[in-house]
Amino acid sequence: MKSAASLPAMMSAAAAPPLANFTATTTSRPSAPSIQCNLLFSVRHHVYSHKKYSKNGITIKYGDLPKHVRPEKGYSSTSVRGTIYCSNQKERNVGLPSDHIAVGAKVIYAAAPAMGHNQESHPECNSRVPAILTALEKMKLTSKFRGSDVVEVQNFRPATTDDIGSVHAGPYISGLEKAMDQASEKGLIFIDGSGPTYATATTFQESLLAAGAGISLVDSVVAASKVSKDPPVAFALIRPPGHHAVPKGAMGFCVFGNIAIAARYAQRMHGLKRVFIIDFDVHHGNGTNDAFYEDPNIFFLSTHQAGSYPGTGKIDQIGCGSGEGSTLNLPLPGGSGDTAMRTVFDEVIVPCAQRFKPDIILVSAGYDAHLLDPLASLQFTTGTYYMLASSIKQLAKDLCGGRCVFFLEGGYNLSSLSNSVAESFRAFLGDRSLASELDDPSYLHEEPLKKVKQIIEKVKHIHSF
């Protein structure tokens, strides 16, 4: 596999979507145990006896389940904030009651770091989510320091294959699941034509967990919005990322379309018909784009660097059929930064959302447009991400009862990634930004604001606002 430094060239053109082709490499690595269980959501402050087992840096606690839960076999993991129940029973927990989050919480998040899904020296590696969690702890943005303002949802179930099937083709899902045996034997495989997406023995189950985290947060936000006019913003700190995964296969580091799956779930299980998706990753979210290209009830809006991977997201790609006009792509010229994005938010994102009148806002939060990220050449700063988080939170409050869930996508410089997510948390909490202490303005250069203005005017003309 090429180094992170050589990846921009490797990702310069679009890759054809795969069906279910998986190619084994000769790379071998210790395989993590596959997780064969469903996670049942229950926030109660019980503590059960347990034994600890550590594998690949993850501590798993095995213990007795409470009497009212009687699966054939189960595991329990506990913390001061809640309890995780793992069961092989097929149970669906729809419409979580409001007591599953702290009343008055400002931020809820769930972490699915996919520690077994990893390739050494690959930018999309298993260090990403732990780096974020470490930064949140160091910067005192967790419940340990913020009390009930911040709630970590540790007890979520994996997505079901039916959940995944609401977006992805059956042959792809079953093909990936079957390929796990091959990954277990070989240590690492690549999904053909996915430009480039690897898989290990745990990829399928950990991808179900990532999608499940997003679904659980949708449940929690919806439940909170029924009892509060100011529900918490939710953030799914998950991997593998998802916005490049097309209906027929994986693509560009992404396995399942986490945000697309959550959008369909919100419609199906909560009756939230109109979903507004904002994607500010530096790369175009072609998978999300394709999933909803003909759907008038899901508005997909992407800002991304013009000419970057995967080569899609042209300004004239606006949806088709009954979905014409419900896709907006805004490719930004290289060098665009904070001023450009603030202008785009005020002049494009806000009026589009106001006209669409969403029931919920979902956000593909990619942090690879940061000045220090190795895979692109925009110049967002941590201050840009604070602005986006704060503005989107207010937009959701104004338009859809505060219902808003962020989904981690890209971001490959661990320092800028973790600092920028921390700034997003500060924005959700209403804290002042610390961007002036984190950003070095000496790295910035003049933005191409004339070109940005021309693109904005063209978008306004195409979409008639």
mmCIF file of all heavy atoms in Angstrom, residues 8 28 30 42 70 121 146 151 174-175 184 228 388 436:
data_model
loop_
_atom_site.group_PDB
_atom_site.id
_atom_site.type_symbol
_atom_site.label_atom_id
_atom_site.label_comp_id
_atom_site.label_asym_id
_atom_site.label_seq_id
_atom_site.Cartn_x
_atom_site.Cartn_y
_atom_site.Cartn_z
ATOM 1 N N PRO A 8 -2.675 11.295 -2.732
ATOM 2 C CA PRO A 8 -3.424 12.233 -3.555
ATOM 3 C C PRO A 8 -3.391 11.894 -5.032
ATOM 4 O O PRO A 8 -4.404 11.976 -5.713
ATOM 5 C CB PRO A 8 -2.748 13.579 -3.251
ATOM 6 C CG PRO A 8 -2.210 13.422 -1.875
ATOM 7 C CD PRO A 8 -1.770 11.986 -1.807
ATOM 8 N N SER A 28 -0.035 -10.371 5.838
ATOM 9 C CA SER A 28 -0.662 -11.098 6.939
ATOM 10 C C SER A 28 -0.555 -10.293 8.213
ATOM 11 O O SER A 28 0.378 -9.527 8.398
ATOM 12 C CB SER A 28 0.008 -12.468 7.139
ATOM 13 O OG SER A 28 1.355 -12.293 7.483
ATOM 14 N N PRO A 30 -2.221 -10.368 12.576
ATOM 15 C CA PRO A 30 -3.075 -11.067 13.522
ATOM 16 C C PRO A 30 -4.521 -10.626 13.356
ATOM 17 O O PRO A 30 -4.808 -9.444 13.231
ATOM 18 C CB PRO A 30 -2.514 -10.622 14.890
ATOM 19 C CG PRO A 30 -1.144 -10.131 14.608
ATOM 20 C CD PRO A 30 -1.192 -9.564 13.228
ATOM 21 N N SER A 42 -29.388 0.048 26.760
ATOM 22 C CA SER A 42 -29.997 0.198 28.076
ATOM 23 C C SER A 42 -29.102 1.036 28.954
ATOM 24 O O SER A 42 -28.002 0.640 29.273
ATOM 25 C CB SER A 42 -30.217 -1.170 28.737
ATOM 26 O OG SER A 42 -30.740 -1.015 30.032
ATOM 27 N N ARG A 70 -32.526 -12.430 29.140
ATOM 28 C CA ARG A 70 -32.203 -13.858 29.163
ATOM 29 C C ARG A 70 -31.921 -14.389 27.759
ATOM 30 O O ARG A 70 -32.663 -15.193 27.225
ATOM 31 C CB ARG A 70 -33.365 -14.653 29.788
ATOM 32 C CG ARG A 70 -33.581 -14.297 31.251
ATOM 33 C CD ARG A 70 -34.579 -15.230 31.921
ATOM 34 N NE ARG A 70 -34.791 -14.894 33.303
ATOM 35 C CZ ARG A 70 -33.972 -15.228 34.291
ATOM 36 N NH1 ARG A 70 -32.891 -15.912 34.026
ATOM 37 N NH2 ARG A 70 -34.220 -14.867 35.523
ATOM 38 N N SER A 121 0.263 2.051 7.991
ATOM 39 C CA SER A 121 0.682 3.126 7.094
ATOM 40 C C SER A 121 -0.435 3.648 6.199
ATOM 41 O O SER A 121 -0.196 4.505 5.344
ATOM 42 C CB SER A 121 1.869 2.694 6.213
ATOM 43 O OG SER A 121 2.962 2.317 7.010
ATOM 44 N N ARG A 146 -17.542 17.395 32.227
ATOM 45 C CA ARG A 146 -18.691 18.228 31.899
ATOM 46 C C ARG A 146 -20.003 17.707 32.438
ATOM 47 O O ARG A 146 -21.064 18.286 32.171
ATOM 48 C CB ARG A 146 -18.793 18.388 30.371
ATOM 49 C CG ARG A 146 -17.546 18.940 29.711
ATOM 50 C CD ARG A 146 -17.111 20.286 30.287
ATOM 51 N NE ARG A 146 -18.107 21.299 30.033
ATOM 52 C CZ ARG A 146 -18.021 22.216 29.077
ATOM 53 N NH1 ARG A 146 -16.949 22.260 28.297
ATOM 54 N NH2 ARG A 146 -18.965 23.103 28.917
ATOM 55 N N VAL A 151 -22.856 13.180 27.026
ATOM 56 C CA VAL A 151 -23.222 11.786 27.286
ATOM 57 C C VAL A 151 -22.631 10.898 26.197
ATOM 58 O O VAL A 151 -22.835 11.148 25.006
ATOM 59 C CB VAL A 151 -24.753 11.606 27.326
ATOM 60 C CG1 VAL A 151 -25.114 10.121 27.458
ATOM 61 C CG2 VAL A 151 -25.355 12.399 28.477
ATOM 62 N N SER A 174 -23.810 -9.675 1.025
ATOM 63 C CA SER A 174 -23.499 -11.088 1.255
ATOM 64 C C SER A 174 -22.088 -11.430 0.794
ATOM 65 O O SER A 174 -21.395 -12.239 1.414
ATOM 66 C CB SER A 174 -24.525 -11.975 0.537
ATOM 67 O OG SER A 174 -24.533 -11.727 -0.856
ATOM 68 N N GLY A 175 -21.650 -10.797 -0.293
ATOM 69 C CA GLY A 175 -20.299 -11.052 -0.783
ATOM 70 C C GLY A 175 -19.237 -10.596 0.203
ATOM 71 O O GLY A 175 -18.240 -11.289 0.417
ATOM 72 N N SER A 184 -9.664 -13.594 6.912
ATOM 73 C CA SER A 184 -9.112 -14.247 8.088
ATOM 74 C C SER A 184 -7.899 -15.098 7.724
ATOM 75 O O SER A 184 -6.912 -15.152 8.458
ATOM 76 C CB SER A 184 -10.190 -15.113 8.761
ATOM 77 O OG SER A 184 -9.691 -15.713 9.930
ATOM 78 N N SER A 228 -37.931 17.812 24.723
ATOM 79 C CA SER A 228 -37.161 19.049 24.888
ATOM 80 C C SER A 228 -37.143 19.825 23.576
ATOM 81 O O SER A 228 -37.005 19.237 22.494
ATOM 82 C CB SER A 228 -35.722 18.738 25.318
ATOM 83 O OG SER A 228 -34.917 19.903 25.300
ATOM 84 N N LEU A 388 -18.812 25.877 11.443
ATOM 85 C CA LEU A 388 -19.757 24.955 10.815
ATOM 86 C C LEU A 388 -20.611 24.248 11.865
ATOM 87 O O LEU A 388 -21.837 24.147 11.720
ATOM 88 C CB LEU A 388 -19.001 23.931 9.972
ATOM 89 C CG LEU A 388 -18.478 24.440 8.622
ATOM 90 C CD1 LEU A 388 -17.528 23.418 8.011
ATOM 91 C CD2 LEU A 388 -19.638 24.728 7.675
ATOM 92 N N SER A 436 -7.926 30.198 17.987
ATOM 93 C CA SER A 436 -6.793 31.130 17.946
ATOM 94 C C SER A 436 -5.554 30.551 18.612
ATOM 95 O O SER A 436 -4.426 30.949 18.313
ATOM 96 C CB SER A 436 -7.179 32.450 18.618
ATOM 97 O OG SER A 436 -7.514 32.246 19.986
#
